[in-house]
Amino acid sequence: MTDAVGSIDKPDADDDETPESNKKGRKGGKRGKKGPMGRLALFYRQIVAELRKVVWPTRNQLTTYTTVVIVFVVVMIGLVTVMDYGFQRVVKYVFG
């Protein structure tokens, strides 16, 4: 299994160095070379790239999904209304 950086099972080649031999310090790859505005621009480019991968529904599918949701909500409202009315009658009968 791998993560965004590389293989989890294998250590990085740079990890073998001691801190004394690496005077500059690690910058973190591309992210370390850019300022805050560069990182923000990269973030938005990645968002746009991910949105291009999304499979968007067609207008017909969207209409169908919307209709199903509205019908389901109306049915649930009716069910809750009937149950509320029934509980109201029961409570009125029990407590007078």
Side-chain angles (χ1 to χ4, degrees):
M1 180 174 353
T2 63
D3 59 359
V5 177
S7 175
I8 294 174
D9 298 332
K10 298 178 185 176
D12 292 338
D14 294 339
D15 290 344
D16 295 337
E17 297 179 15
T18 59
E20 297 84 25
S21 66
N22 193 0
K23 297 286 183 190
K24 294 180 190 175
R26 293 178 72 174
K27 287 279 191 172
K30 292 181 181 179
R31 287 180 285 192
K33 296 177 184 175
K34 296 181 180 180
M37 295 305 288
R39 288 194 305 259
L40 188 62
L42 175 65
F43 176 69
Y44 283 117
R45 279 196 306 271
Q46 289 174 344
I47 288 174
V48 170
E50 287 298 322
L51 285 175
R52 286 187 180 141
K53 295 178 189 177
V54 173
V55 178
W56 297 99
T58 63
R59 183 175 292 272
N60 190 22
Q61 290 172 329
L62 192 61
T63 305
T64 302
Y65 298 156
T66 304
T67 304
V68 167
V69 168
I70 290 173
V71 167
F72 177 76
V73 168
V74 167
V75 168
M76 292 307 294
I77 288 172
L79 181 65
V80 169
T81 302
V82 167
M83 289 175 58
D84 183 52
Y85 181 74
F87 286 135
Q88 177 186 359
R89 300 282 292 196
V90 169
V91 168
K92 201 172 202 180
Y93 177 78
V94 170
F95 295 108

